[in-house]
Amino acid sequence: MLHLGEHRDLGALGDRLRNALQANATLMAETIDTACRRFPSSGQSERTARIEQLIRSEAWTDAALALIDLELPQWPVRRLAYDEGEWYCALSRQRELPDWLDQSIEARHADLSLAILSAFVEAQRVSAPSSRPSVPVVTRTATRLYEPVCSDNFA
């Protein structure tokens, strides 16, 4: 049922999670296929079996928290709060810092498990290695406003 697929667009997955009404096995499987790199690894068989059991049991919140623990151990849950009909989930790399100093990932949703999954996907997107080169690329074509200027002092 659950296997590693090729990594697709995490932004599109985040949009689907935000637009979903409630968590289900299809959304969990899509999240695992799209955002998880460690899930099917042989060294984590106990943990992945536990996540699969939680999904079969429809324990969506516990499964989402177990995914964070497996995939992003450096991003623990900083805050879970319920306010005016929405759940707020914040993941942080440095929980001991005050809120105003911390750069946390925050997500919200009416469903607790989808708020946690949305924060998980956003943290995966932020943590994903970028394909940018280490040295910025400079274009070598001159714009139409380009005018050479002589700056030598002939005096």
Side-chain angles (χ1 to χ4, degrees):
M1 171 180 132
L2 301 173
H3 56 83
L4 180 67
E6 58 187 59
H7 294 282
R8 288 173 259 153
D9 184 21
L10 292 174
L13 175 62
D15 290 341
R16 280 192 290 288
L17 290 172
R18 280 188 292 280
N19 294 330
L21 297 177
Q22 64 185 21
N24 57 42
T26 305
L27 272 176
M28 290 298 288
E30 185 177 353
T31 301
I32 290 169
D33 284 346
T34 304
C36 295
R37 292 181 289 254
R38 296 180 185 170
F39 186 79
S41 66
S42 59
Q44 304 287 342
S45 60
E46 270 184 40
R47 295 168 93 184
T48 57
R50 179 176 173 263
I51 293 170
E52 288 176 343
Q53 177 60 36
L54 290 170
I55 292 171
R56 281 192 297 274
S57 301
E58 297 183 3
W60 309 125
T61 303
D62 291 335
L65 291 170
L67 275 177
I68 291 172
D69 185 43
L70 175 68
E71 291 286 325
L72 295 171
Q74 72 277 17
W75 285 92
V77 175
R78 179 182 180 99
R79 181 175 12 104
L80 285 174
Y82 184 76
D83 187 28
E84 296 184 12
E86 284 192 318
W87 284 98
Y88 293 83
C89 176
L91 304 179
S92 172
R93 286 188 179 198
Q94 298 156 346
R95 290 189 331 193
E96 286 72 29
L97 285 178
D99 281 344
W100 58 277
L101 280 177
D102 187 24
Q103 293 182 346
S104 61
I105 300 291
E106 296 186 13
R108 62 189 173 104
H109 199 281
D111 184 64
L112 174 60
S113 55
L114 290 178
I116 295 169
L117 280 177
S118 295
F120 165 71
V121 169
E122 183 63 21
Q124 280 285 49
R125 189 184 67 75
V126 169
S127 298
S130 63
S131 61
R132 296 181 303 165
S134 61
V135 178
V137 177
V138 178
T139 58
R140 296 190 179 181
T141 58
T143 65
R144 59 187 182 105
L145 299 176
Y146 173 77
E147 270 188 46
V149 176
C150 180
S151 60
D152 290 337
N153 186 357
F154 295 109

